[in-house]
Amino acid sequence: MATSEPSVARPGLRERKKQQTRDTIARVALELFAERGYDETTLAEIADAADVSTRTIFAYFHSKEDILFCEEPAFIEQLKQALEQRPSGVTTIDVLRDFIQSSGPPDQHRKLRKQIVRSNEELRLGERGRFARVEDLIAESIARDLGAGPGDIRPPLVAASMTAAFFSMSERLESKSGEPISHEQAMAVADQVLVFLRSGLDGLARS
């Protein structure tokens, strides 16, 4: 007798409504930030555009910055799982390459978010600070690649170099016209960066 695959439980109506409210707040906030400027947009204006109260916003987000970077927790959790669950013989570089590839080209919201962050130096610094958790995850994964002990400074140094390289690459991935390049072009650049990083990591592993 054939067995059917286990069904994934669908969120209840209350949870779906909460997610819809959260998504609406994030969407209208992003649009207002792009239209009026991040600093110039108030939480009251976001609440009005989302047709909720300011108190409701605080039930979902702690601040405007949390709204702007609302996709970050899910991104970090997905990367954490990918690094921790990688099969034997698969390196940190392999996982990062697949992770970047699977993310696909940026949608309109990701493009807006990047535009908003790039136009505000304080947000750019905040983004780098928030990315520290990603750097920690990469360092932990590299430590497993190298068989490094707790006091080994190589993993955090390599992870810092990797994140710096990708931040720099992300900020420069534009064509001569000033428009973002295609996902395929971006992956070609990413592959060149990863080849360079892989050679350095392989050198450390042999030393």
Side-chain angles (χ1 to χ4, degrees):
M1 177 176 173
T3 58
S4 59
E5 294 184 1
S7 60
V8 178
R10 188 185 182 198
L13 178 61
R14 183 180 179 186
E15 289 303 313
R16 295 201 304 274
K17 284 185 174 295
K18 287 174 66 176
Q19 187 60 48
Q20 288 171 359
T21 300
R22 187 180 189 277
D23 291 344
T24 298
I25 293 170
R27 175 179 54 78
V28 300
L30 205 59
E31 292 169 354
L32 288 173
F33 293 156
E35 177 186 341
R36 305 179 184 181
Y38 175 83
D39 291 329
E40 291 74 20
T41 302
T42 67
L43 285 171
E45 290 170 334
I46 295 171
D48 184 60
D51 197 24
V52 298
S53 67
T54 305
R55 174 178 289 185
T56 298
I57 289 181
F58 283 116
Y60 295 90
F61 304 100
H62 295 299
S63 65
K64 288 197 301 181
E65 191 169 309
D66 276 346
I67 300 175
L68 180 63
F69 295 112
C70 64
E71 294 183 355
E72 180 192 76
F75 168 84
I76 290 176
E77 182 59 29
Q78 290 165 7
L79 178 60
K80 181 175 184 288
Q81 290 183 11
L83 289 169
E84 290 182 348
Q85 297 172 9
R86 59 192 168 110
S88 176
V90 176
T91 69
T92 301
I93 298 292
D94 297 328
V95 172
L96 291 177
R97 203 276 173 192
D98 290 345
F99 195 78
I100 296 170
Q101 174 67 44
S102 65
S103 66
D107 59 19
Q108 188 59 33
H109 286 174
R110 284 168 62 188
K111 290 177 181 178
L112 271 182
R113 185 173 294 107
K114 183 175 180 180
Q115 171 189 325
I116 293 160
V117 172
R118 289 184 61 183
S119 65
N120 187 305
E121 183 61 27
E122 192 170 319
L123 288 177
R124 291 176 68 182
L125 293 174
E127 182 182 42
R128 286 180 178 271
R130 285 170 171 264
F131 214 70
R133 179 55 183 148
V134 172
E135 190 171 306
D136 289 342
L137 291 175
I138 293 174
E140 292 165 9
S141 185
I142 291 171
R144 294 198 298 275
D145 287 336
L146 299 177
D152 197 321
I153 65 169
R154 295 176 300 167
L157 288 177
V158 173
S161 298
M162 284 184 175
T163 53
F166 280 107
F167 255 112
S168 179
M169 183 184 75
S170 175
E171 291 180 351
R172 290 167 172 77
L173 285 185
E174 294 183 348
S175 64
K176 292 180 180 179
S177 66
E179 293 296 319
I181 64 177
S182 70
H183 183 60
E184 291 73 20
Q185 290 172 310
M187 281 307 305
V189 176
D191 281 335
Q192 293 177 15
V193 174
L194 288 170
V195 166
F196 172 77
L197 293 172
R198 187 191 299 274
S199 64
L201 197 56
D202 288 345
L204 286 176
R206 290 193 298 268
S207 63

